Amino acid sequence: MSRIQSIFRPGYRVLIAYLTVGYPTLEKTIKSAVLLAKSGCDLIELGIPFSDPLADGATIQQASYQALKQGVTSQVCLEVAQEIKERIAKPLVFMGYYNPILNFGLEAFCRSANRAGVDGLIIPDLPPEEGGELESSMKKHGLDPIYLLSPNSSEERILLVTQRSRGFIYLVSLTGVTGARQNLPPGLESFVQRVRGKTELPLCVGFGIASPEQAGRVAGIADGVIIGSRLIQLIEEDNSLSSLEAFTRSLRETLDQCH
Amino acid sequence: MGENNRRLPNQRGYFGEFGGKFVPETLMPALGELEQEYLSACSDPAFERRFEQLCQQYVGRPTPMYPAEQLSAEMGGAVILLKREDLAHTGAHKINNALGQGLLAKRMGKTRIIAETGAGQHGVATATVCAMLSLQCIIYMGEDDIKRQSPNVLRMRLLGAEVRSVDSGSRTLKDAINEAIRDWVTNVETTYYLFGTVAGPHPYPMIVRDFQSVIGREAKTQIRTMYNRLPDYLVACVGGGSNAMGLFSPFYADKEVKFIGVEAAGAGLKSGQHAASLSAGRSGVLHGTRSYLLQDGNGQIVETHSIAPGLDYPGVGPEHSYYKDTGRASYVAVTDAEALDGFRLLCHTEGIIPALESAHAIYYGTRLAAGLSRDQLVVVNLSGRGDKDLDIVVKTMGMEI
């Protein structure tokens, strides 16, 4: 069992937080990650900024743009991961687009990620059809490939993704880009059930989740909840990070009432 | 449409090591459906007949193959022939692909069409076809391009399209594509993405090439009728590369015909301000495809520059990357200043105002012809007309109105 999979236990709902590395500063990313781990997050997703984040909404686009302006590279992200790893015991995954990783060298990147203490990779523009080469490097260096499914994925594609994923499967709650939204999509329950019937792997839902209420509804059907854009907004709104901490604690409380 | 080209891409959408489908999961089902529908349309004689009929009656095809005698005499070398795509309806080759994909969207029962545009030519072509086929049309265009190609923005609006300004990143074609993809991911059930060039995820490079290959098929027939032989050189500008691929691909097996793609060298290849992905880039992944790409040492896509908005793009179609690596085509780059020379030359010698994109091919094609003998034939694709560029040209040349 991988380190990622070991955080999933019967009756327990996992909380996953996303941060764009270097937004607003590297120091803030590290502080936020430590705080998130302390206030009830089980896994941290570190976003590697990319110039053309085509699966992201306005919040993460803007965060990536600012991070790049400050010179954040894949190498910097590896260093930040290592620094976070030295301070917290929770698993870490990278979320990033394919080109910067391809440019780094697939094998070299996986080796470095493993050394930095990273446990898996989520690449939103890399479907399993194109992921074979990266997967073999990941396997060699003990990283879990975490593929995504979306509500319009066919039965055939669900099978493909469940067979190729390790750690957990990332269910995109809606057809759309990342970003905080008022309401969850209506067909979410049946989507999660469709996937549940085909795999033993934990299922985590992300995209558009922005409140404890929404997280609670997701926790009723899935094994984990992924939150990103809303956290970035909270870091922007309150530099002291106390809003981030309060929000995370309330998420944790809501999830703990779900079993 | 393109049976003669079906050797490539392979089933996974690859031309050698280039191509593929690097997209979010949400788009994978849509790309699969698009490929199925396209292949079924290709084997439907009624679809092909309708496309050909509209090419003739609506677009005005075949476009002429014009022996540019004054221009050839001025250069004093090979015979220069212009494939007059500028005379197609809407003023550029872009209409060929917009028409084909518009018919495909209609066949798929889609009611909402989105597209990206750089120079505005693909946007105008898409808006035109949508008006004719009664489809809702939304065009994404970079804020900078909206400013420098304003006549085309007005044309799109007159045709009933909604033009959405994109103010992220470099505010040009690359960012318009990002935004169009985000729209498609969100509205994938109802929306057809009418992609404008031979780049993007499979099956777009194949579909766009096939619809544009009408250019090369006509050219082949025309040159054979006029000279009873094939041309020695085909020259076309390359941004994403659709007019070039449309001209080149029907000649693929005719090894004696040399292909030359002309990229935008902007302020010069060494200046860093250019858009010459094949001449100065490295293999990478952008907008769903693996191809040559202008990127920095960290794999971030760099901002490009060209006086021609339609060439101002950091990527290129994967089949061009394959042509480059296999040596089937060679790729050169022409600067802004040289393109303006080509622009002026064609205006003065032939009374034809070319698009700034096409002016890159004119410049290189004329210099090439000058060094060849008089019995050789150089076909230059005049991919569009220059009315849209008067603002840029007048400003750059310091003319007063």
Side-chain angles (χ1 to χ4, degrees), chain B residues 124 146 149-161 163:
Chain B
V124 168
I146 286 184
Q149 304 276 255
S150 58
N152 274 343
V153 177
L154 297 176
R155 291 167 80 196
M156 287 184 264
R157 291 194 172 133
L158 283 172
L159 291 161
V163 180

Side-chain angles (χ1 to χ4, degrees), chain A residues 7-253:
Chain A
I7 63 175
F8 294 91
R9 310 187 293 274
Y12 181 75
R13 298 293 177 263
V14 159
L15 179 59
I16 298 175
Y18 167 94
L19 296 170
T20 300
V21 175
Y23 182 77
T25 61
L26 293 174
E27 192 202 353
K28 210 55 135 195
T29 302
I30 295 166
K31 264 194 179 158
S32 303
V34 172
L35 186 71
L36 286 163
K38 212 174 63 186
S39 359
C41 279
D42 303 287
L43 185 152
I44 315 279
E45 257 181 51
L46 294 173
I48 302 174
F50 182 48
S51 53
D52 294 81
L54 49 77
D56 284 302
T59 305
I60 295 177
Q61 278 179 52
Q62 194 53 30
S64 303
Y65 180 73
Q66 295 298 336
L68 286 174
K69 270 199 358 195
Q70 296 177 55
V72 175
T73 61
S74 305
Q75 182 59 45
V76 170
C77 293
L78 287 161
E79 290 159 15
V80 167
Q82 183 152 13
E83 214 163 311
I84 292 171
K85 198 70 201 180
E86 284 162 9
R87 302 196 202 176
I88 65 172
K90 315 274 180 181
L92 295 180
V93 304
F94 274 135
M95 180 154 187
Y97 292 83
Y98 192 45
N99 198 56
I101 294 170
L102 184 64
N103 179 78
F104 196 99
L106 302 181
E107 179 74 20
F109 185 82
C110 291
R111 190 187 315 119
S112 308
N114 169 273
R115 278 189 197 150
V118 171
D119 302 289
L121 299 183
I122 303 169
I123 317 286
D125 60 346
L126 192 75
E129 282 86 342
E130 305 290 353
E133 209 184 335
L134 180 60
E135 262 180 57
S136 50
S137 294
M138 289 172 77
K139 203 164 279 173
K140 214 161 126 188
H141 297 287
L143 299 174
D144 286 344
I146 298 156
Y147 286 108
L148 299 94
L149 280 169
S150 70
N152 62 339
S153 299
S154 62
E155 303 300 302
E156 208 182 350
R157 294 200 59 75
I158 292 175
L159 269 178
L160 176 68
V161 163
T162 53
Q163 282 162 9
R164 299 275 292 273
S165 297
R166 296 284 177 276
F168 67 90
I169 296 173
Y170 193 133
L171 304 189
V172 175
S173 72
L174 42 79
T175 57
V177 294
T178 60
R181 287 173 179 80
Q182 291 293 323
N183 299 302
L184 287 175
L188 188 58
E189 280 82 0
S190 70
F191 168 42
V192 176
Q193 274 161 15
R194 264 195 322 130
V195 184
R196 184 76 79 193
K198 296 204 163 45
T199 182
E200 301 286 304
L201 279 172
L203 307 179
C204 298
V205 176
F207 281 40
I209 302 168
S211 69
E213 294 69 35
Q214 291 171 332
R217 200 186 123 200
V218 170
I221 49 174
D223 306 300
V225 178
I226 307 167
I227 302 197
S229 297
R230 184 69 196 129
L231 303 183
I232 290 175
Q233 289 168 353
L234 287 170
I235 294 170
E236 264 167 23
E237 285 163 17
D238 176 6
N239 197 39
S240 75
L241 300 182
S242 48
S243 302
L244 180 72
E245 182 175 3
F247 181 74
T248 311
R249 288 195 190 285
S250 70
L251 285 171
R252 182 72 268 163
E253 272 169 35

Side-chain angles (χ1 to χ4, degrees), chain A residues 49-56 61 68 73-74 98-100 102-103 124-130 148-150 152-153 157 161 172 174-177, chain B residues 12 14 20-26 28-29 168 174-175 178-179 181-182 185-186 188-189 282 284-287 290 293 295-301:
Chain A
F50 182 48
S51 53
D52 294 81
L54 49 77
D56 284 302
Q61 278 179 52
L68 286 174
T73 61
S74 305
Y98 192 45
N99 198 56
L102 184 64
N103 179 78
D125 60 346
L126 192 75
E129 282 86 342
E130 305 290 353
L148 299 94
L149 280 169
S150 70
N152 62 339
S153 299
R157 294 200 59 75
V161 163
V172 175
L174 42 79
T175 57
V177 294
Chain B
R12 293 181 54 230
Y14 275 82
K21 289 186 191 181
F22 296 85
V23 295
E25 171 64 24
T26 312
M28 289 300 281
S168 55
K174 165 180 86 84
D175 311 284
N178 288 339
E179 212 47 43
I181 292 176
R182 291 182 189 117
V185 168
T186 307
V188 64
E189 299 296 336
R282 286 182 293 123
V285 169
L286 176 68
H287 295 149
R290 181 154 189 170
L293 199 56
Q295 53 185 318
D296 68 14
N298 297 307
Q300 305 294 340
I301 312 308

